[in-house]
Coordinates of all heavy atoms in Angstrom, one line a residue:
V128 N 101.0 76.0 82.0 CA 99.8 75.2 82.0 C 99.5 74.9 80.5 O 99.2 73.7 80.2 CB 98.6 76.1 82.4 CG1 97.2 75.6 82.0 CG2 98.6 76.3 83.9
I129 N 99.8 75.7 79.5 CA 99.8 75.4 78.1 C 100.6 74.1 77.9 O 100.3 73.2 77.2 CB 100.2 76.6 77.2 CG1 99.1 77.6 77.3 CG2 100.4 76.1 75.8 CD1 99.6 79.0 76.6
G130 N 101.8 74.2 78.4 CA 102.7 73.1 78.2 C 102.2 71.7 78.7 O 102.2 70.7 78.0
I131 N 101.6 71.8 79.8 CA 101.0 70.5 80.3 C 99.8 70.0 79.5 O 99.8 68.8 79.2 CB 100.5 70.8 81.8 CG1 101.6 71.1 82.7 CG2 99.7 69.6 82.3 CD1 101.2 71.7 84.2
K132 N 99.0 70.9 79.1 CA 97.8 70.5 78.3 C 98.3 70.0 76.9 O 97.7 69.1 76.4 CB 96.9 71.8 78.1 CG 96.1 72.1 79.4 CD 95.2 73.3 79.0 CE 94.4 73.6 80.3 NZ 93.7 74.9 80.2
E133 N 99.4 70.6 76.3 CA 99.8 70.2 75.0 C 100.4 68.7 75.1 O 100.2 67.9 74.2 CB 100.8 71.2 74.5 CG 101.1 71.1 73.0 CD 99.9 71.3 72.1 OE1 98.8 71.9 72.6 OE2 99.9 70.8 71.0
I134 N 101.2 68.6 76.1 CA 101.9 67.2 76.3 C 100.7 66.1 76.5 O 100.9 65.1 75.9 CB 102.8 67.2 77.6 CG1 104.0 68.1 77.3 CG2 103.1 65.8 78.0 CD1 105.0 67.4 76.4
K135 N 99.7 66.5 77.1 CA 98.5 65.5 77.2 C 98.1 65.1 75.8 O 97.7 63.9 75.7 CB 97.3 66.2 77.9 CG 97.0 65.9 79.3 CD 95.7 66.5 79.7 CE 95.4 66.2 81.1 NZ 94.2 66.8 81.6
K136 N 98.0 66.0 75.0 CA 97.5 65.8 73.6 C 98.5 65.0 72.8 O 98.2 64.0 72.1 CB 97.2 67.1 72.8 CG 95.9 67.7 73.1 CD 95.6 68.8 72.0 CE 95.0 70.0 72.8 NZ 95.3 71.2 72.2
I137 N 99.7 65.4 72.9 CA 100.7 64.8 71.9 C 101.5 63.6 72.5 O 102.0 62.9 71.6 CB 101.7 65.9 71.4 CG1 102.5 66.6 72.5 CG2 101.1 66.9 70.5 CD1 103.4 67.7 72.1
L138 N 101.4 63.4 73.7 CA 101.9 62.3 74.3 C 100.8 61.5 75.1 O 101.0 61.4 76.5 CB 103.2 62.4 75.2 CG 104.4 63.0 74.5 CD1 105.5 63.4 75.5 CD2 105.0 61.9 73.5
P139 N 99.8 61.1 74.5 CA 98.6 60.7 75.3 C 98.9 59.5 76.2 O 98.3 59.4 77.3 CB 97.5 60.3 74.2 CG 98.3 60.2 72.9 CD 99.5 61.0 73.1
H140 N 99.8 58.6 75.9 CA 100.2 57.6 76.7 C 100.8 58.0 78.0 O 100.9 57.2 79.0 CB 101.1 56.4 76.1 CG 102.4 57.1 75.5 ND1 102.5 58.0 74.7 CD2 103.6 56.8 76.0 CE1 103.8 58.3 74.4 NE2 104.5 57.6 75.3
L141 N 101.3 59.3 78.1 CA 101.9 59.8 79.4 C 101.0 60.8 80.0 O 101.5 61.6 81.0 CB 103.2 60.4 79.0 CG 104.3 59.5 78.5 CD1 105.6 60.3 78.1 CD2 104.7 58.5 79.4
K142 N 99.8 60.9 79.5 CA 99.0 62.1 80.1 C 98.7 62.0 81.5 O 98.5 63.1 82.2 CB 97.6 62.2 79.2 CG 96.5 61.3 79.5 CD 95.3 61.6 78.9 CE 94.2 60.6 79.3 NZ 93.2 60.5 78.3
S143 N 98.7 60.8 82.1 CA 98.4 60.7 83.6 C 99.8 60.5 84.3 O 99.8 60.0 85.4 CB 97.5 59.6 83.9 OG 97.9 58.3 83.3
K144 N 100.9 60.7 83.6 CA 102.2 60.6 84.2 C 103.0 61.9 84.2 O 104.2 61.9 83.9 CB 103.0 59.5 83.4 CG 102.3 58.2 83.3 CD 102.6 57.4 84.6 CE 101.8 56.1 84.7 NZ 102.1 55.1 83.7
Q145 N 102.2 63.1 84.4 CA 102.9 64.3 84.4 C 103.1 64.8 85.8 O 102.0 64.8 86.6 CB 102.1 65.2 83.6 CG 102.0 64.9 82.0 CD 101.6 66.2 81.2 OE1 102.5 66.9 80.9 NE2 100.3 66.2 80.9
I146 N 104.2 65.3 86.1 CA 104.5 65.7 87.5 C 104.8 67.2 87.5 O 105.6 67.7 86.6 CB 105.6 65.0 88.2 CG1 105.4 63.4 88.0 CG2 105.9 65.4 89.5 CD1 104.2 62.9 88.7
A147 N 104.3 68.0 88.5 CA 104.7 69.3 88.6 C 105.8 69.5 89.7 O 105.6 69.0 90.8 CB 103.4 70.2 89.0
V148 N 106.8 70.2 89.3 CA 107.9 70.4 90.4 C 108.0 72.0 90.5 O 108.3 72.7 89.6 CB 109.2 69.9 89.9 CG1 110.3 70.1 90.9 CG2 109.1 68.4 89.7
F149 N 107.6 72.4 91.7 CA 107.4 73.9 92.0 C 108.8 74.5 92.5 O 109.4 74.0 93.4 CB 106.4 74.2 93.0 CG 105.1 73.5 92.6 CD1 104.6 72.2 93.0 CD2 104.2 74.2 91.7 CE1 103.4 71.8 92.6 CE2 103.0 73.8 91.3 CZ 102.6 72.4 91.8
D150 N 109.1 75.7 91.9 CA 110.2 76.6 92.4 C 109.9 77.0 93.8 O 110.9 77.4 94.6 CB 110.4 77.8 91.5 CG 111.2 77.6 90.4 OD1 111.5 76.4 90.1 OD2 111.6 78.6 89.7
T151 N 108.6 77.1 94.2 CA 108.3 77.7 95.5 C 108.3 76.6 96.6 O 108.2 77.0 97.8 CB 106.9 78.3 95.4 OG1 106.1 77.4 94.7 CG2 107.0 79.7 94.6
A152 N 108.1 75.4 96.3 CA 107.7 74.3 97.2 C 108.7 74.2 98.3 O 108.4 74.1 99.5 CB 107.7 73.0 96.5
F153 N 110.0 74.3 98.0 CA 111.1 74.1 99.1 C 111.0 75.1 100.2 O 111.3 74.9 101.3 CB 112.4 74.1 98.4 CG 113.6 73.9 99.3 CD1 113.7 72.8 100.1 CD2 114.6 74.9 99.4 CE1 114.8 72.6 101.0 CE2 115.7 74.7 100.3 CZ 115.8 73.5 101.0
H154 N 110.4 76.3 99.8 CA 110.4 77.4 100.7 C 109.1 77.4 101.6 O 108.9 78.3 102.4 CB 110.5 78.8 100.0 CG 111.7 78.9 99.3 ND1 113.0 78.8 99.8 CD2 112.0 79.1 97.9 CE1 113.9 79.0 98.9 NE2 113.3 79.1 97.8
Q155 N 108.3 76.5 101.4 CA 107.0 76.4 102.2 C 107.3 76.1 103.6 O 106.3 76.1 104.5 CB 106.0 75.5 101.6 CG 105.2 76.0 100.3 CD 104.4 77.2 100.7 OE1 103.6 77.2 101.6 NE2 104.6 78.3 100.0
T156 N 108.5 75.8 104.0 CA 108.8 75.5 105.4 C 109.2 76.9 106.1 O 109.5 76.8 107.3 CB 110.0 74.5 105.6 OG1 111.0 74.9 104.7 CG2 109.5 73.2 105.2
I157 N 109.4 77.9 105.5 CA 109.7 79.1 106.2 C 108.7 79.6 107.2 O 107.5 79.6 106.9 CB 110.3 80.2 105.1 CG1 109.2 80.8 104.4 CG2 111.4 79.8 104.4 CD1 109.7 82.0 103.4

Side-chain angles (χ1 to χ4, degrees):
V128 167
I129 290 173
I131 295 165
K132 287 183 176 166
E133 197 59 21
I134 289 287
K135 251 188 184 180
K136 275 193 221 151
I137 56 182
L138 294 172
H140 61 295
L141 297 174
K142 77 172 184 206
S143 55
K144 303 278 173 60
Q145 297 199 80
I146 307 300
V148 180
F149 300 95
D150 271 10
T151 47
F153 182 56
H154 301 303
Q155 280 298 308
T156 47
I157 66 179

